Amino acid sequence: MMMNILTPALAAACFCLPIAALADCPKSGDLAGGIEIRYADGAVETYRQVAPNLVTAVFDAPGSPGSAAESLLAQGIYLIQTQDLVNGMPDLQTRTTYTYPLPPGAMPEPQPGGGWAAMVRAEDSTGVDETRHDMRFEAETRLVIGACSYRMIPIEVRYDGDGELLHYLPELGIAPVGAWGVGEARDMMRYVSIGAVR
């Protein structure tokens, strides 16, 4: 059973803008009302903090009005639940729940050079599966999204011979996906702008 964190990311070109123009870049306090990431293919993903240590990410793909995918993330990183939304309502037949050996508030915040491994139990309408997830936290760098720049810790995730690259943004408390897959088969994701929901 493949783990899905329906979120993309990759650095876009840096624009040299005056400091005043950068004031509109989202900050951690905007997460309660929502932070939107827009992608090159027209997709939009909206992150919202719904409880302490819990963030939702709703992914609206282009050309799919009324249909979206929702993920619940512990610490804005670790997948707790996924499901489809139809006209804003959950489709329970599509729900998958992921259980970790630690509660959401105790799951580790990425630190450069560190890592974490855990057995993750996934349950959906077809049954239960358990997979080992190995996470490696890489050296901190910066990620530029449109006119905004953030500290970023890459997270390499491996499971069942597959994997993904997450871009953890500690200043916002979210971790968009930078790439799906591993090695030469990796599918890089690209987003073009970020903003607070108004």
Side-chain angles (χ1 to χ4, degrees):
M1 184 174 297
M2 181 175 175
M3 177 179 178
N4 287 321
I5 300 179
L6 299 174
T7 35
L10 187 63
C14 176
F15 299 110
C16 296
L17 296 176
I19 292 175
L22 299 180
D24 290 336
C25 294
K27 301 174 178 59
S28 60
D30 293 315
L31 193 55
I35 294 175
E36 281 185 350
I37 295 180
R38 294 186 176 271
Y39 304 98
D41 65 357
V44 178
E45 187 157 36
T46 306
Y47 295 86
R48 281 191 175 86
Q49 183 155 23
V50 293
N53 305 307
L54 292 175
V55 172
T56 59
V58 176
F59 186 83
D60 286 295
S64 302
S67 179
E70 180 183 61
S71 301
L72 180 64
L73 308 168
Q75 312 245 23
I77 305 166
Y78 305 101
L79 186 66
I80 299 295
Q81 181 179 281
T82 61
Q83 61 189 1
D84 290 344
L85 301 179
V86 179
N87 296 321
M89 300 299 294
D91 179 356
L92 300 183
Q93 290 300 310
T94 65
R95 178 175 292 176
T96 302
T97 301
Y98 300 89
T99 305
Y100 296 76
L102 296 175
M107 293 167 132
E109 181 176 350
Q111 298 296 328
W116 188 50
M119 294 301 297
V120 181
R121 183 177 184 266
E123 183 173 1
D124 62 15
S125 59
T126 66
V128 177
D129 190 22
E130 193 169 37
T131 306
R132 178 182 170 89
H133 290 240
D134 288 288
M135 288 154 266
R136 189 173 71 240
F137 308 143
E138 305 288 355
E140 183 175 309
T141 182
R142 293 202 71 83
L143 180 66
V144 178
I145 309 171
C148 301
S149 176
Y150 296 99
R151 293 167 48 220
M152 187 269 283
I153 300 172
I155 304 175
E156 290 279 358
V157 185
R158 295 288 182 269
Y159 47 84
D160 270 355
D162 205 347
E164 59 200 41
L165 170 67
L166 305 180
H167 288 199
Y168 175 58
L169 309 178
E171 293 162 294
L172 298 181
I174 59 177
V177 174
W180 296 104
V182 295
E184 294 182 1
R186 175 167 279 181
D187 183 14
M188 303 299 293
M189 307 301 293
R190 192 164 61 91
Y191 48 67
V192 296
S193 68
I194 186 169
V197 175
R198 302 300 183 196

